[in-house]
């Protein structure tokens, strides 16, 4: 069930008191593959008594929080990282003595809580947090995200019995409907490695100035609410190039290297695989999220090949599965799964992802297995789910899709990282197809075995990630190394894939040194994540419980966090405002700052409900049905135009993808004819030129035309339709009809068909 989340009016705390947070400002500097971010939170006590303001907020799960300042007018107090218990003790002691105290603590790697203690009447303070993070890079650009909201988290019954009240309040803070008195501003300074072609945000209105390889971006509008993640995407004129970033280590005479490869791998015909789809059908997925998940599932089903196996799970408070065990991918099972996908609804209550994943992992077949999870990830037991997945590393890979405006980044990325999979995020307004089919392309890539990195004679004292990540074609592969000394050399990456050895090289030049602390901080954050996600005995529901059971492990986290002054699961930031005797007071009132409810959370009706459990799921469904109509209960048996438009997919590309048949071919109908601009008369002329009018021959013409349209009109989206084209070409090789003879005659049968089609079609 959900921990109780209080919904309040927009101007008061749950008890009717003024909200002390007045605004949140982000300033972002993006350079290459990293970003430096400062977050300023403005607090003001408008009451007649001292208060303690407590505010829980999200940050990226890979962020390295490296700075903490408190500004009181012209006065600046710099915070320090201390071991968690020490920081709490210093905070409490200062409060008891009447001083001001400020604490930042990690509840999850992506959820933090700031406590502003003993804020005096009419006093204002600005709390500034700094962090660095790696960017998500694409072959031709990048993506930067600022989480702004903590979506309501489902708390399993077992965790409710063991978690502390403060932990539950921090991961499920009070929430409001409507506008909050505090708003959001964002300014971004972007400098790229090549000229910038475009910058866009699918989440917010922005103003952007482009100047070659630089851009400045800011939000447009007043009182912008923190109710959805800020997403910024940019495209470059040239692809990223492999490179090494070097920097001097912090607090030592050593050095840190950040090695970035973009491996180019040969295309291989993939072998049959097992695909298990886990679809989140909890109430929080209501509305556009479940519609996006359904479309993603349909695209995945279309991209499978004969010889594969499939199964579909739906999970909420309980879980359902389409087949008891995975079944072969056939005409019949595809039809069954397609019909099932179109009827899915967000009607299963809470988000019990652990049990569904556990059942799927316990029924793995003999084929290489890919588990595809589509979810908003709004759960509280992320670490337990990730630890479960770690047990099956090497047996199954998990590929995750985070759906919606406030998807839980920790769960989405953590599951993929734990199993050598990959993560994607689908924000409302973004096109689904490229992300879905790029993931399938990754799954189809033969697994890169025996990945090794040769440091060229250098001896690192620490390499992170601890387990070398897998290689995906044209996807950034990053590793960090820390060295006591440095000299010019060549770093070599080697891998075996499908029996073929690959080697890539990059030069280390000690003369090229980055003067900023970004590289050492990113190294330290990666090393902390290695320690925090290292499999340990499950001695409790929380990560801290497991660390207490292994003092040496916790000590390593504390030492690393303190050395690099980074937040972690075992360290916190604390700052003390020393006051004169006359200003001291030990009496204060607690004010928990409410958060905005994630926009669109759970659909339009579910979003006004504070929490729900399996007992009232039926009542929730009835309420949604009355208010929204049966918009989610689509019962279409085929991909009609009405269905496509209802799912928000009216474009030609999506229609072509979804109309491909099980065997890889396309078949004529009025909708396909209209979409590609052909007539039945043109089809008849093509049949006459071929000299036959069988159904197979008609499908040959339809398939050749669709392939031509994809190549002609969607060349830049090749990664999206490449797998579908391979299915189609294999079908063309196997058809019984023989392409007409031509001079000179192409060797490959598919090429013969394409040359013949182009020749005849040009004359019609």
């Amino acid at each position: 069930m959900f921990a109780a989340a209080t919904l309040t009016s927009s101007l008061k705390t749950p008890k009717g008191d003024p909200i002390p947070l007045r605004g949140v400002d982000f300033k972002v500097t993006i350079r290459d593959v990293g970003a430096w971010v400062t977050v300023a939170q403005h607090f003001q006590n408008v009451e007649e008594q001292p208060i303690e303001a407590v505010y829980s907020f999200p940050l990226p799960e890979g962020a390295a929080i490296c700075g903490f300042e408190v500004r009181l007018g012209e006065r600046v107090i710099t915070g320090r990282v201390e071991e968690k218990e020490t920081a709490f003790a210093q905070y409490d002691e200062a409060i008891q003595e009447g001083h001001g105290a400020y604490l930042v603590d990690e509840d999850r790697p992506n959820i933090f809580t700031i406590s502003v203690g003993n804020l005096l009447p009419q006093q204002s303070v600005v709390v500034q947090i700094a962090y660095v993070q790696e960017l998500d890079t694409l072959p031709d650009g990048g993506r930067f995200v600022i989480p702004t909201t903590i979506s309501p988290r489902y708390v399993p019954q077992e965790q409710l019995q063991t978690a502390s009240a403060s932990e539950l309040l921090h991961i499920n803070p009070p929430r409001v409907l409507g506008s909050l008195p505090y708003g959001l501003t964002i300014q971004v300074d972007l400098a790229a490695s090549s000229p910038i072609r475009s910058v866009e945000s699918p989440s917010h209105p922005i103003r952007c100035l482009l100047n070659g390889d630089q851009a400045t971006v800011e939000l447009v509008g007043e009182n912008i609410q923190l109710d959805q993640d800020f997403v910024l995407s940019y495209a470059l004129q040239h692809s990223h190039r492999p490179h090494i970033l070097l920097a001097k280590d912090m607090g030592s005479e050593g050095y840190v290297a950040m090695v970035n490869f973009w491996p180019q791998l040969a295309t291989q015909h993939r072998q049959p695989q097992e695909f298990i789809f886990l679809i989140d059908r909890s109430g929080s997925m209501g509305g556009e999220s479940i519609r996006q998940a359904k479309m993603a599932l349909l695209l995945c089903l279309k991209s499978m090949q004969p010889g594969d196996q499939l199964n579909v799970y739906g999970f909420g408070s309980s879980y359902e599965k389409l087949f008891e065990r995975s079944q072969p991918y056939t005409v019949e099972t595809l039809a069954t799964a397609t019909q099932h996908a179109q009827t899915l609804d967000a009607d299963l209550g809470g988000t019990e992802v652990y049990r569904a994943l556990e059942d799927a992992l316990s029924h793995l077949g003999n084929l290489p297995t890919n588990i595809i999870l589509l979810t908003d990830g709004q759960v509280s037991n992320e670490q337990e789910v990730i630890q479960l997945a770690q047990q099956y590393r090497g047996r199954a890979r998990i590929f995750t899709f985070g759906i919606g405006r406030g998807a839980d980044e920790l769960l989405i990325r953590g599951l993929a990282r734990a199993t050598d999979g990959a993560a994607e995020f689908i924000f409302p307004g973004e096109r689904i197809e490229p992300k879905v089919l790029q993931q399938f392309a990754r799954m189809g890539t033969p697994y890169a075995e025996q990945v090794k990195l040769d440091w060229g004679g250098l001896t690192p004292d620490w390499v992170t990630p601890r387990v070398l990540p897998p290689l995906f074609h044209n996807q950034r592969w990053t590793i960090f190394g820390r060295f006591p000394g440095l000299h010019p050399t060549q770093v070599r990456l080697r891998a075996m894939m499908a029996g073929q050895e690959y080697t890539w090289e990059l030069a280390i030049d000690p003369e090229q040194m980055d003067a900023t602390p970004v590289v050492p901080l990113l190294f330290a954050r990666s090393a902390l994540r290695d320690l925090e996600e290292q499999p340990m005995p499950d001695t409790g529901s929380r990560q801290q419980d497991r660390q207490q059971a292994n003092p040496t492990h916790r000590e390593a986290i504390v030492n690393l966090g303190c050395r690099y002054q980074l937040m972690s699961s075992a360290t916190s930031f604390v700052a003390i405002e020393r006051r004169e005797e006359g200003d001291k007071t030990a009496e204060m009132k607690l004010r928990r700052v409410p958060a905005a409810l994630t926009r669109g959370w759970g659909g339009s009706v579910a979003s006004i409900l504070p929490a729900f459990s399996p007992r009232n799921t039926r009542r929730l469904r009835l309420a949604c049905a009355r208010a929204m109509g049966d918009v989610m209960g689509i019962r279409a048996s085929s991909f009609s135009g009405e269905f496509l438009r209802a799912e928000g997919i009216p474009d030609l590309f999506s229609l072509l993808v979804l109309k491909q048949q099980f065997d890889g071919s396309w078949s004529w109908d009025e909708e396909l004819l209209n979409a590609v601009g052909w007539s039945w008369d043109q089809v008849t002329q093509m049949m006459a030129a071929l000299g036959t009018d069988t159904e197979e021959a008609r499908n040959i013409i339809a398939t050749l035309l669709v392939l031509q349209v994809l190549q002609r009109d969607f060349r830049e989206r090749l990664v999206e339709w490449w797998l579908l084209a391979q299915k189609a070409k294999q079908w063309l090789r196997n058809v019984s009809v023989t392409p007409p003879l031509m001079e000179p005659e192409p060797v490959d049968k598919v090429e013969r068909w394409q040359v013949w089609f182009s020749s005849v079609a040009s004359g019609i």
Side-chain angles (χ1 to χ4, degrees), residues 330-482:
T330 64
V331 174
E332 293 75 21
T333 56
L334 174 60
T336 299
T338 298
Q339 184 176 12
H340 176 70
Q342 295 179 77
T343 64
L344 296 179
D345 202 349
D347 56 0
L348 291 182
T351 314
E352 288 280 1
V353 63
Y354 187 99
R355 295 175 184 173
L357 180 61
E358 183 180 42
D359 187 86
L361 289 170
S362 65
H363 290 90
L364 299 179
N366 296 323
L367 296 177
T369 301
N370 303 291
I371 294 179
I372 300 92
L373 174 65
L374 299 104
T375 179
D376 57 14
Q378 294 161 6
V379 299
S380 66
N381 62 337
E382 302 101 327
Q383 296 294 352
E384 287 65 51
V385 178
I386 292 171
Q387 189 178 27
L388 169 66
Q390 287 173 334
Q391 300 173 25
Y392 290 85
R393 185 174 196 151
R395 297 181 57 194
R397 292 194 293 172
I398 301 179
F399 292 81
T400 52
F401 292 93
I403 308 288
R405 292 182 170 89
D408 185 352
E409 189 186 16
L410 173 60
L411 180 71
I412 304 303
R413 294 192 188 277
L415 282 172
R417 193 164 50 237
T419 59
D420 291 335
E424 288 283 1
F425 291 84
I426 302 172
F427 194 87
E430 288 189 309
R431 289 177 47 246
I432 294 177
E433 305 95 310
K435 296 177 182 293
V436 172
L437 297 174
Q438 283 171 8
Q439 284 281 51
F440 252 78
R442 293 184 183 117
M443 298 175 207
T445 301
Y447 197 79
E449 300 174 310
Q450 303 175 27
V451 180
K452 296 180 180 179
L453 193 67
D454 181 352
W455 291 100
L458 295 175
T459 306
D461 61 17
W462 201 317
V463 174
T464 178
R466 179 176 53 89
V467 178
L468 297 184
L471 299 179
F472 294 115
H473 173 68
N474 208 25
Q475 301 292 314
R476 180 164 65 93
W477 186 92
T478 299
I479 203 81
F480 295 91
R482 191 177 71 180

Side-chain angles (χ1 to χ4, degrees), residues 43-45 49-54 70 72 91-103 115-125 575-580 583-591:
F43 292 89
Q44 182 181 16
N45 180 9
Q49 59 195 0
I51 65 171
E52 180 186 32
V54 178
V70 180
L72 302 106
Y91 177 86
D92 291 339
E93 182 180 356
I95 295 296
Q96 292 173 6
E97 294 178 356
H99 299 295
Y102 308 88
L103 179 76
S115 299
V116 179
N118 250 355
L119 193 61
L120 298 175
Q122 309 309 312
Q123 184 180 18
S124 297
V125 62
I576 306 300
E577 173 198 350
R578 298 293 174 182
R579 295 173 178 167
E580 299 296 332
D583 293 331
K584 291 182 180 179
T585 175
E587 298 180 3
M588 61 182 184
K589 297 294 184 180
L590 175 64
R591 300 290 182 254

